[in-house]
Amino acid sequence: MFTPRTPRVVAARRLHRRRDRDAAGRFLAEGPQAVREALTGPAGVLELFGTPVALDRYAELAAAATAAGVPVSPVTDEALAALAETVAPQGLVAVCAQLDVPLAAALAGPPRLVAVLAGIRDPGNAGTVLRTADAAGARAVVFAGETVDPYNGKCVRSSAGSLFHVDLVRAPDPAGVVAAARAAGLRVLAATGHGDTDLDELADAGGLAAPTAWLFGSEAHGLPAELAAAADARVRVPLHGRAESLNLAAAAAVCLYASARALR
């Protein structure tokens, strides 16, 4: 049984660091839900670590991994704790290949709905928006510019497996993403609390019926002014009560589902 000092455990543990994830082209997916989705995802699982109790409890996942030719490695509780990032881990951690899709491939078609995350630093927020985009039917989620690493452990957990369902793009230049989306035939909408276009009015006027790329910025600072200006419209979610604003994840959900409804 593997311990915290077993070389394969040591190598996997290094994937907690972004530089090591990018150097290896790998990341960790923790918990049975993430492992289940990873096993059916496009890149699959490279190795599955589990405590004996977890491998027994989730025997169907261990069997699926074995059937797919994935090494299943029993580990001690101490080794699992070293691999996991949660306070109360559920006993399974998978090593997965990174899933990056080129921007041009993600925009080919074009897709009907795309979410672009620009400058979002909080991994929990980014993972939640990714999960919401998947639920709303977006085909691609773009992490643009100085945005958190989508393979950050908290982002992976917050995505609840949706990381494995969409085309995941990492693009260094947000302005280039806007230009590429528009060239692919998508209307580019910037979600901002100070937008000059009301989301409800836009929906009522049929402005969400075309293929759309939504731009979302950080909760603390919003979208950079030059990026918002590059969009076809700057859209605000109407506030009918006394709340000052919506948080990023809630605003993204409202925008993406408004588009999903219009597109259907």
Side-chain angles (χ1 to χ4, degrees):
M1 189 178 300
F2 290 177
T3 72
R5 295 187 178 182
T6 302
R8 275 156 61 183
V9 174
V10 172
R13 189 178 181 183
R14 292 194 185 103
L15 300 177
H16 290 313
R17 296 189 294 264
R18 181 171 187 168
R19 65 177 181 274
D20 290 313
R21 289 194 294 271
D22 285 343
R26 300 180 174 191
F27 69 103
L28 298 179
E30 178 183 340
Q33 173 65 16
V35 170
R36 183 175 293 106
E37 301 306 322
L39 284 168
T40 59
V45 175
L46 302 175
E47 183 166 12
L48 177 61
F49 296 102
T51 63
V53 170
L55 291 175
D56 181 62
R57 179 178 300 160
Y58 304 107
E60 78 284 1
L61 296 180
T66 300
V70 175
V72 177
S73 304
V75 297
T76 64
D77 289 343
E78 293 77 15
L80 196 285
L83 292 169
E85 292 184 314
T86 54
V87 175
Q90 295 177 278
L92 296 178
V93 174
V95 178
C96 304
Q98 292 187 354
L99 304 161
D100 295 30
V101 173
L103 179 62
L107 296 179
R112 291 163 65 82
L113 186 60
V114 172
V116 180
L117 283 56
I120 297 175
R121 301 298 184 93
D122 182 88
N125 272 340
T128 301
V129 175
L130 197 163
R131 180 181 183 181
T132 301
D134 174 28
R139 191 178 87 187
V141 177
V142 183
F143 284 65
E146 297 298 321
T147 295
V148 67
D149 179 14
Y151 303 114
N152 173 288
K154 187 174 182 180
C155 186
V156 174
R157 292 191 301 277
S158 296
S159 81
S162 287
L163 182 81
F164 301 100
H165 300 165
V166 300
D167 286 349
L168 181 65
V169 179
R170 289 192 287 178
D173 178 20
V177 173
V178 171
R182 187 174 288 118
L186 280 75
R187 189 178 190 199
V188 180
L189 301 179
T192 170
H194 305 291
D196 48 17
T197 301
D198 180 281
L199 178 65
D200 287 347
E201 294 175 358
L202 182 65
D204 290 344
L208 298 178
T212 298
W214 276 100
L215 305 179
F216 301 108
S218 73
E219 187 161 322
H221 306 292
L223 283 167
E226 64 276 10
L227 191 62
D232 296 308
R234 286 141 296 283
V235 183
R236 68 182 184 278
V237 176
L239 300 175
H240 303 297
R242 298 176 61 187
E244 179 187 5
S245 63
L246 292 174
N247 66 26
L248 168 64
V254 172
C255 294
L256 289 167
Y257 267 90
S259 281
R261 181 179 182 184
L263 289 166
R264 282 163 176 74

